[in-house]
Amino acid sequence: MAEDSQETTHFGYRTVARAQKADMVAQVFHSVAAKYDVMNDLMSFGIHRLWKRFTIDCSGVRRGQRVLDLAGGTGDLTAKFSRLVGETGEVVLADINESMLKMGREKLRNLGVVGNVEYVQANAEALPFPDNSFDCITISFGLRNVTDKDKALRSMYRVLKPGGRLLVLEFSKPIIDPLSKAYDAYSFHILPRIGEVVAQDAESYRYLAESIRMHPDQETLKSMMEEAGFEQTSYYNLTAGIVALHRGYKF
């Protein structure tokens, strides 16, 4: 999905200056950070845990490997990867948002996840890591908030090791029409109300619903990954395409 122009982009359904989007997204996640995990469970009826488990299962991560959990938020994937890579491996939880990174660090330390996890505040479009650094990169429900998705995908490709793989877990386009209509009604009427009651922030959850609709569909994202250099790209529709897991390799 092409951006509107070189100077503007979308923030939900609004057109904004490209230079403004990162700050606007940051405000959303500063606002929702404290209630992020609770809202994830409520919004998805807990199914997000199954989507993330499937992502872990598809990652092929093994002991001793180095993993980047990009836009890692409160660290659900990082906690699982930490156990998989063991003492000889490393997981980097990276997020552009300081509030989310702080919540992730506190949550994982409370769970006893220490030793092989590093926390880095990073912009997906310009990752602060050397070339060929990671065996696996995951970005879970984060790519749709990135201003320049093509640039971010190229950045991820650069820091992957040859033979490494990228997994993008993201909301996508439902493949069953009646479900699509029900999903729209839920997203635009019920979700903001839940956000208002639980997080005292209906507007941020209205943006999140809009950002899902503006995100590239399954085939478009697959093509974007291929244009960034990834090979053997594929995707799995989860919950009838409400969410899709894309995977691509660097050779």
Side-chain angles (χ1 to χ4, degrees), residues 43-218:
M43 288 188 302
S44 72
F45 308 101
I47 299 173
H48 74 98
R49 298 175 186 275
L50 299 179
W51 298 331
K52 289 170 181 172
R53 168 50 62 189
F54 183 72
T55 302
I56 297 285
D57 291 345
C58 288
S59 71
V61 166
R62 303 186 303 278
R63 191 168 186 82
Q65 291 192 326
R66 194 159 187 249
V67 179
L68 173 61
D69 182 12
L70 188 56
T74 55
D76 285 348
L77 293 180
T78 292
K80 303 280 197 307
F81 283 132
S82 174
R83 290 195 289 273
L84 285 174
V85 303
E87 294 176 2
T88 59
E90 183 184 25
V91 184
V92 176
L93 194 167
D95 203 293
I96 194 172
N97 189 277
E98 183 181 3
S99 297
M100 293 295 290
L101 202 60
K102 180 181 177 184
M103 293 296 299
R105 185 187 292 111
E106 290 178 358
K107 174 181 167 182
L108 293 182
R109 286 179 177 172
N110 288 339
L111 290 173
V113 179
V114 295
N116 64 354
V117 176
E118 181 184 356
Y119 301 89
V120 177
Q121 190 169 359
N123 185 337
E125 297 175 24
L127 292 170
F129 308 108
D131 296 358
N132 309 320
S133 293
F134 297 98
D135 298 287
C136 180
I137 298 175
T138 57
I139 180 166
S140 172
F141 304 113
L143 186 61
R144 73 180 187 280
N145 297 309
V146 174
T147 303
D148 190 332
K149 297 174 183 62
D150 292 310
K151 188 175 180 182
L153 289 168
R154 291 193 298 271
S155 183
M156 294 177 220
Y157 184 86
R158 178 185 64 78
V159 303
L160 266 180
K161 296 177 181 179
R165 55 224 168 273
L166 167 67
L167 292 103
V168 181
L169 181 66
E170 188 55 89
F171 291 105
S172 200
K173 184 176 176 57
I175 56 176
I176 302 172
D177 192 53
L179 177 62
S180 185
K181 291 184 172 70
Y183 182 46
D184 280 347
Y186 169 75
S187 299
F188 292 106
H189 299 290
I190 299 174
L191 179 56
R193 285 286 298 148
I194 296 173
E196 183 177 13
V197 171
V198 177
Q200 287 76 56
D201 188 351
E203 200 56 40
S204 288
Y205 286 94
R206 189 170 290 109
Y207 157 73
L208 292 175
E210 292 175 1
S211 72
I212 291 167
R213 300 315 186 279
M214 299 301 290
H215 186 66
D217 65 17
Q218 290 91 324

